[in-house]
Amino acid sequence: MTTVYFDPTFTDEERRQHLYNGQLVVFSPCKSSLAFCEFAKELVQEAFAPLDPETAQFDLPVEKYADILQKLKPTFIHHPESKKHLSAILEESGCDLGKTYYEVPKLRSSTSSDYLTTGIAYAWHPHRDTWFAAMPCQINWWVPIYPLKPDNALTFYPQYWSAPVKNSSSGYNYYTWNKQHRGGHVSQYLKQDPRPVPKATEPLKLEPEIRLLPPVGGMILFSAAHLHASVPNTSGVTRFSFDYRTVHLDDIAAKRGAPNIDSACEGHMLRDYIRATDQSHVPEKYFALYDDGSEANGKLVYEPLRA
Ligand SMILES: [Fe+2]
């Protein structure tokens, strides 16, 4: 059973435990999340000016559109203001900043009507982030920048929290992936995206599903082990959202987190997270707890493209 908690008053520790048990948490917009949304919206508007970002796709050739995103997304990721806003949200949400590490915030776009669903605007099929080497204690925070609709939202498949899915994660090594496919220009993938990402290899029962529609600046928190996807966007407008992922040092040290029921990927993302207080990396001594011997296979750390 999946419970959705709205504005719970849990401590951060209680909240993490509920998330590791497959529950979902939704927060109403708060001062810092609204400020981050406002900042993100300004960047998005600037990038598409004079067009309205929600409908710009209908006025631009897809090559030009992908080009705009290819500059906009790294600008968002690397902007010093993004890190400040993110730390402010974590603080306002009751996280212990000295022990909370995050992965750089990502700006996402989901265009309507199959306009661009590959490369820089990849339309996410049902997946668990743990198939992609996310830590078992990784928590995803997902925030809409423009009002959501049921047909452009994020969706969850709660029946698979405890039911394994046959999938292709065993062919995925995080370090090899970083070396071969990340940090480069992906605007070349306009029609198809041949990059081999982990997917379900058996038919999925996609009902029931949970589509949560918080208002702009509201936050959906979920475990990296939850099966989730982008709803194929038929809403007539492009959806813009941002998300980031956190891990807590105590959980890293104790190897706490969601159970792994079906991921067989190699490598881990532990070297990618930075501390909310000073952007230092997770101390090296913890890597060995998760290393699997594939560390020599590629690039250990994901380096997002710079605009
Ligand atoms: Fe995901």
Side-chain angles (χ1 to χ4, degrees):
M1 183 194 69
T2 297
T3 302
V4 183
Y5 290 96
F6 292 90
D7 292 332
T9 54
F10 301 139
T11 63
D12 179 50
E13 198 174 336
E14 290 165 343
R15 184 169 67 212
R16 299 196 314 273
Q17 200 49 58
H18 281 294
L19 293 164
Y20 300 156
N21 289 335
Q23 319 306 357
L24 299 168
V25 170
V26 181
F27 281 119
S28 299
C30 61
K31 193 174 160 220
S32 50
S33 67
L34 285 170
F36 200 178
C37 277
E38 201 45 51
F39 169 74
K41 202 169 175 179
E42 275 168 25
L43 287 186
V44 173
Q45 281 171 338
E46 219 173 273
F48 286 101
L51 299 171
D52 175 347
E54 285 190 290
T55 52
Q57 65 169 92
F58 300 110
D59 295 307
L60 291 172
V62 71
E63 294 79 8
K64 169 78 180 153
Y65 194 91
D67 227 41
I68 291 172
L69 291 182
Q70 187 76 56
K71 291 188 187 77
L72 167 63
K73 292 189 173 181
T75 300
F76 175 84
I77 287 177
H78 294 290
H79 204 295
E81 287 298 310
S82 291
K83 292 191 177 72
K84 283 187 203 160
H85 283 300
L86 177 41
S87 291
I89 292 180
L90 297 176
E91 187 164 23
E92 197 174 347
S93 306
C95 297
D96 175 350
L97 297 194
K99 288 188 168 183
T100 302
Y101 292 71
Y102 61 77
E103 203 215 6
V104 286
K106 312 258 176 64
L107 179 69
R108 313 280 183 184
S109 52
S110 165
T111 62
S112 185
S113 323
D114 288 333
Y115 170 75
L116 178 61
T117 56
T118 50
I120 193 72
Y122 193 84
W124 281 99
H125 54 275
H127 69 282
R128 307 186 201 273
D129 285 12
T130 47
W131 292 352
F132 295 75
M135 307 304 294
C137 64
Q138 179 178 295
I139 291 165
N140 294 6
W141 305 56
W142 194 94
V143 188
I145 302 172
Y146 287 83
L148 290 171
K149 297 171 189 286
D151 47 1
N152 71 7
L154 172 70
T155 189
F156 296 92
Y157 306 103
Q159 64 275 32
Y160 288 110
W161 173 258
S162 49
V165 174
K166 288 194 182 113
N167 67 84
S168 57
S169 63
S170 66
Y172 182 91
N173 176 280
Y174 184 61
Y175 316 124
T176 310
W177 179 264
N178 281 342
K179 189 175 172 187
Q180 294 178 344
H181 302 293
R182 294 185 85 174
H185 281 272
V186 290
S187 48
Q188 55 184 305
Y189 305 126
L190 294 176
K191 299 250 164 10
Q192 51 179 359
D193 197 331
R195 294 174 295 168
V197 292
K199 288 183 176 164
T201 54
E202 64 176 331
L204 293 170
K205 288 193 189 83
L206 298 181
E207 293 279 351
E209 59 174 308
I210 301 177
R211 300 181 184 188
L212 295 164
L213 274 67
V216 169
M219 300 183 280
I220 302 172
L221 278 64
F222 61 101
S223 160
H226 242 302
L227 195 76
H228 61 285
S230 280
V231 172
N233 187 346
T234 54
S235 68
V237 291
T238 304
R239 181 254 285 163
F240 291 94
S241 60
F242 64 82
D243 54 78
Y244 47 90
R245 301 93 190 278
T246 57
V247 294
H248 191 288
L249 195 62
D250 290 352
D251 297 343
I252 291 289
K255 297 194 83 170
R256 267 193 297 268
N260 173 24
I261 57 170
D262 59 14
S263 175
C265 64
E266 288 182 336
H268 60 76
M269 292 173 52
L270 196 48
R271 294 171 182 83
D272 288 15
Y273 305 96
I274 51 176
R275 185 157 64 171
T277 45
D278 57 4
Q279 296 171 29
S280 63
H281 286 269
V282 172
E284 219 176 308
K285 65 177 179 183
Y286 295 109
F287 300 162
L289 291 174
Y290 297 90
D291 281 345
D292 56 14
S294 67
E295 300 80 64
N297 285 11
K299 280 169 80 172
L300 298 180
V301 178
Y302 161 51
E303 287 152 24
L305 182 75
R306 288 192 176 268

